[in-house]
Amino acid sequence: MSTLAANAPGAPGGGLADVAASEATLRRFLHGLPGVDQVGLEARAATLGTRSIKTTAKAFAIDLAISMIDLTTLEGADTVGKVRSLCAKGLNPDPTDRTAPQVAAICVYPDMVETAKTALRGSDIQVASVATAFPSGRAGMPVKLADTAEAVAAGADEIDMVIDRGAFLSGRYLEVFEEIRAVKEACRRPDGSSAHLKVIFETGELQTYDNVRRASWLAMIAGADFIKTSTGKVAVNATPPVTLLMLEAVRDFRAATGTQVGVKPAGGIRTTKDAMKYLVMVNETLGDDWLSPHWFRFGASSLLNDLLMQRQKLRTGRYSGPDYVTVD
Amino acid sequence: MSETAMRIEVFKTYKLYVGGKFPRSESGRVYEVTDTKDQWLANAPLGTRKDTRDAVLAARAAVKGWSGTTAYNRGQVLYRVAEMLQGRREQFTAEVAAAEGLGAKKAAALVDAAIDRWVWYAGWTDKVAQIAGGANPVAGPFFNLSTPEPTGVVGVVAPRTGHGFSLLGLVSVVAPAIATGNTVVVAAAEQAPLPALSLGEVLATSDVPGGVVNLISGRTADIAPTLASHQDVNALDLAGAIDLEGPGAAAALEASAADTLKRVVRPAADPSAVDWTASPGTGRLLSFLETKTVWHPMGI
């Protein structure tokens, strides 16, 4: 591929392929990104969280949020039965109301992909699988790639990989870059199509907003289809400022390269109010282009129940309770 | 002018009591509370449907812990409430006198009766299982045991009429519900909420876990229907539902409670004639219980 073609907008790597030519160029690029105004970012995220969304707009937001959920179970205690019942819930979230939309995807560990795939046969719901030694990412490359390949072979439509935070924090950016590239390669199926790749940064471990911005660009240049905040396994998960920062990064990346990348906040989003704050942020930062399950997802499990309870409240006028939704 | 004459009195800001905390109403609004001669007493927070919803959440969260404590421990906590109330007898005497238009002596007697009522229900906590449960005779080699368990979250429309309604009446409806392990959300008497709001301060300092009792002042016609229709409220005490028509009327509340199969205690036939000083009996104590029956093989 000529340099010209590799740098063209819309090319893989988003026209920034030269950036990753060497460790030095990559570092120069990432450290050359403008610094994050922490106070401004947090104030902006807080302001966007104060919007009042009521009545029909609220009903729209609730249905949109449900359709954006990656319904997740990532426990050591997961069983085939639990994954099946989660799939059933994803297909038909509110048994008392068939108009409730389906979720976007079911997110499981690689060994559960086949179970989920079978349970969801014939539906539009995707099966997402975490991979690459989730959640710590502490394993050798062959293990990570085998983990990914196994999930893809089992039929996963989407792969949620974790980056090596240790390498990133010690400044070995090219290593992280190559890792994402290799996993992206492992997402390829024999028929030439490819599983969607979501790259998890674990922002709670990246220490600074500047690092989150760098990680976002790094992953997007390496070819991520989605960038995702967290695993949900550490103390600090998705927060509004971090998500806003990532939304700004995908906006700037599209402006620079023409490639659109999705965003998935995950972990700690439990209430309808939280979800609506995120949707407001998406709308204000990115606009309609991203307001679809194709470009924005929530990684959540308990959020769905709260959305359903709010939905029942709008429909019946009475406050609902946990007795009227399933126990997960 | 002397220095004492120049002093400006410090008014008390009455607040809601929800989840062990004292929030202002989410609406930010207050309404004026007057005594029986229309003299201004204080501003009380105007609780809304949303405040009520938040209170139900707090009450639900408290059910597990409170119903899980031993009956003996609950009795101690209720007795502690009586102790704390005793220490603030003067304040409550003044508030009850203003709320019900009584002289200081009569009001003090009502406060004393309220303190005694806490003690009375404190004694009941570990005895109720003996009158509401027990071993059942069965024709087989089994033990068959019935035990009463708390219903869950109880919505209470606090009494608004009757001799002693403002504090003694309130205690007479709240104490029996929590004695058996339920948690409550109380719609305080709309015209006389001050003793109820002050009772929140007593509860907060007497080992009652946050969320077990939640007190909301405001329009009964807003709060009571929210409790009646809320799907996460398990029972309803309509002691103060005295409106003859409208959304706060007992019949309307009972109808919407029926939609979610709540237990309902109806108001007295003539609520204004109720004398809250009369012996309460066990009626309310036994109203918010579910019977659990277990069969157990008798062994060899």
Side-chain angles (χ1 to χ4, degrees):
Chain A
M1 194 186 283
S2 74
T3 318
L4 205 65
N7 283 344
L16 290 166
D18 277 356
V19 162
S22 74
E23 181 79 57
T25 52
L26 188 57
R27 168 168 300 116
R28 197 175 314 131
F29 175 79
L30 293 178
H31 285 258
L33 290 168
V36 179
D37 167 11
Q38 180 179 350
V39 175
L41 178 72
E42 285 170 359
R44 174 80 178 143
T47 311
L48 290 177
T50 59
R51 295 280 169 87
S52 180
I53 311 283
K54 302 287 182 208
T55 63
T56 49
K58 185 174 183 180
F60 175 80
I62 288 174
D63 280 7
L64 183 62
I66 293 175
S67 72
M68 285 176 165
I69 287 181
D70 279 9
L71 197 57
T72 304
T73 179
L74 295 169
E75 304 294 334
D78 281 350
T79 59
V80 168
K82 187 177 176 196
V83 170
R84 277 197 199 121
S85 72
L86 199 72
C87 290
K89 183 168 185 182
L91 283 165
N92 187 14
D94 188 348
T96 64
D97 182 5
R98 294 273 168 174
T99 63
Q102 297 183 340
V103 301
I106 303 291
C107 186
V108 291
Y109 272 119
D111 63 328
M112 290 293 172
V113 168
E114 215 166 337
T115 309
K117 204 68 196 164
T118 313
L120 294 170
R121 188 170 292 148
S123 77
D124 295 332
I125 300 180
Q126 310 281 300
V127 174
S129 167
V130 295
T132 70
F134 181 93
S136 68
R138 296 255 68 88
M141 267 314 276
V143 175
K144 290 184 182 180
L145 293 180
D147 197 14
T148 310
E150 188 193 315
V152 174
D157 304 294
E158 302 172 355
I159 296 293
D160 289 27
M161 70 168 287
V162 288
I163 64 166
D164 182 346
R165 279 87 73 191
F168 182 88
L169 289 172
S170 23
R172 305 200 301 276
Y173 298 129
L174 195 62
E175 194 178 318
V176 180
F177 180 88
E178 298 295 352
E179 184 184 15
I180 298 172
R181 269 285 163 90
V183 174
K184 173 101 180 158
E185 204 53 41
C187 288
R188 225 173 265 280
R189 301 193 192 92
D191 65 359
S193 63
S194 190
H196 263 233
L197 180 64
K198 303 195 200 109
V199 180
I200 306 173
F201 301 146
E202 198 66 293
T203 52
E205 292 181 351
L206 292 188
Q207 316 294 345
T208 66
Y209 288 128
D210 285 342
N211 275 343
V212 174
R213 178 170 280 173
R214 284 172 196 145
S216 303
W217 279 86
L218 176 66
M220 289 188 291
I221 295 169
D225 297 306
F226 252 87
I227 52 176
K228 173 173 167 184
T229 60
S230 324
T231 60
K233 300 287 183 196
V234 295
V236 180
N237 292 303
T239 63
V242 155
T243 310
L244 178 58
L245 181 57
M246 288 165 60
L247 293 172
E248 287 172 352
V250 301
R251 178 193 64 195
D252 297 345
F253 188 75
R254 188 171 78 162
T257 67
T259 306
Q260 187 167 349
V261 175
V263 179
K264 174 178 171 186
I269 305 167
R270 295 205 175 80
T271 64
T272 303
K273 213 174 205 172
D274 289 342
M276 291 204 295
K277 285 178 189 174
Y278 283 97
L279 290 179
V280 168
M281 266 192 324
V282 174
N283 191 45
E284 294 298 313
T285 315
L286 300 172
D288 278 344
D289 289 358
W290 267 269
L291 270 183
S292 90
H294 203 62
W295 297 109
F296 191 79
R297 295 278 181 83
F298 291 108
S301 37
S302 54
L303 171 65
L304 181 55
N305 275 352
D306 197 64
L307 286 165
L308 293 176
M309 286 194 279
Q310 289 288 333
R311 207 171 179 279
Q312 289 173 5
K313 161 72 170 71
L314 283 183
R315 186 163 51 97
T316 63
R318 335 181 163 110
Y319 289 114
S320 185
D323 289 352
Y324 297 82
V325 290
T326 58
V327 181
D328 300 321
Chain B
M1 201 183 277
S2 74
E3 261 186 51
T4 45
M6 281 178 65
R7 184 173 178 278
I8 299 168
E9 201 182 338
V10 176
F11 286 115
K12 175 171 164 183
T13 308
Y14 284 89
K15 295 196 197 175
L16 308 175
Y17 180 53
V18 175
K21 295 199 163 63
F22 295 96
R24 292 183 163 83
S25 166
E26 141 309 304
S27 66
R29 292 195 286 171
V30 295
Y31 68 106
E32 296 190 343
V33 178
T34 59
D35 63 13
T36 48
K37 296 188 188 74
D38 276 344
Q39 295 294 306
W40 180 83
L41 288 170
N43 287 346
L46 189 70
T48 60
R49 287 186 288 253
K50 203 164 195 175
D51 287 315
T52 312
R53 196 263 306 249
D54 292 345
V56 173
L57 276 182
R60 171 56 62 193
V63 167
K64 192 160 184 262
W66 182 241
S67 62
T69 56
T70 60
Y72 173 69
N73 188 216
R74 278 203 299 276
Q76 287 179 310
V77 171
L78 261 57
Y79 189 83
R80 180 80 180 153
V81 177
E83 290 176 10
M84 292 292 113
L85 200 51
Q86 180 75 53
R88 296 174 63 160
R89 185 169 173 271
E90 307 307 320
Q91 178 197 348
F92 278 97
T93 301
E95 283 177 349
V96 169
E100 300 189 33
L102 299 170
K105 223 171 187 176
K106 277 185 177 162
L110 287 175
V111 174
D112 290 342
I115 296 169
D116 294 347
R117 191 129 307 166
W118 279 111
V119 176
W120 197 72
Y121 280 113
W124 266 115
T125 55
D126 56 359
K127 297 169 188 72
V128 68
Q130 286 136 60
I131 60 164
N136 307 313
V138 288
F142 299 100
F143 288 123
N144 185 273
L145 303 167
S146 291
T147 45
E149 301 211 323
T151 300
V153 176
V154 180
V156 174
V157 183
R160 290 155 78 185
T161 49
H163 180 56
F165 74 94
S166 65
L167 180 66
L168 177 59
L170 177 71
V171 171
S172 303
V173 293
V174 169
I178 67 171
T180 50
N182 298 291
T183 62
V184 296
V185 177
V186 182
E190 186 173 340
Q191 306 304 331
L194 302 188
L197 296 176
S198 290
L199 184 67
E201 295 157 18
V202 169
L203 295 167
T205 52
S206 52
D207 303 341
V208 180
V212 170
V213 179
N214 303 277
L215 300 157
I216 310 281
S217 60
R219 291 189 202 106
T220 308
D222 277 347
I223 302 167
T226 308
L227 288 173
S229 66
H230 199 303
Q231 304 200 27
D232 207 20
V233 173
N234 304 114
L236 207 54
D237 187 334
L238 295 178
I242 54 171
D243 293 355
L244 293 176
E245 51 195 36
L253 294 173
E254 203 170 339
S256 62
D259 284 346
T260 47
L261 304 177
K262 288 181 181 59
R263 292 190 179 279
V264 174
V265 172
R266 289 184 171 144
D270 181 3
S272 57
V274 174
D275 180 5
W276 290 102
T277 59
S279 170
T282 54
R284 280 208 150 75
L285 196 65
L286 302 178
S287 293
F288 306 114
L289 293 173
E290 310 297 327
T291 300
K292 180 173 82 176
T293 299
V294 291
W295 294 71
H296 192 284
M298 200 144 19
I300 309 162

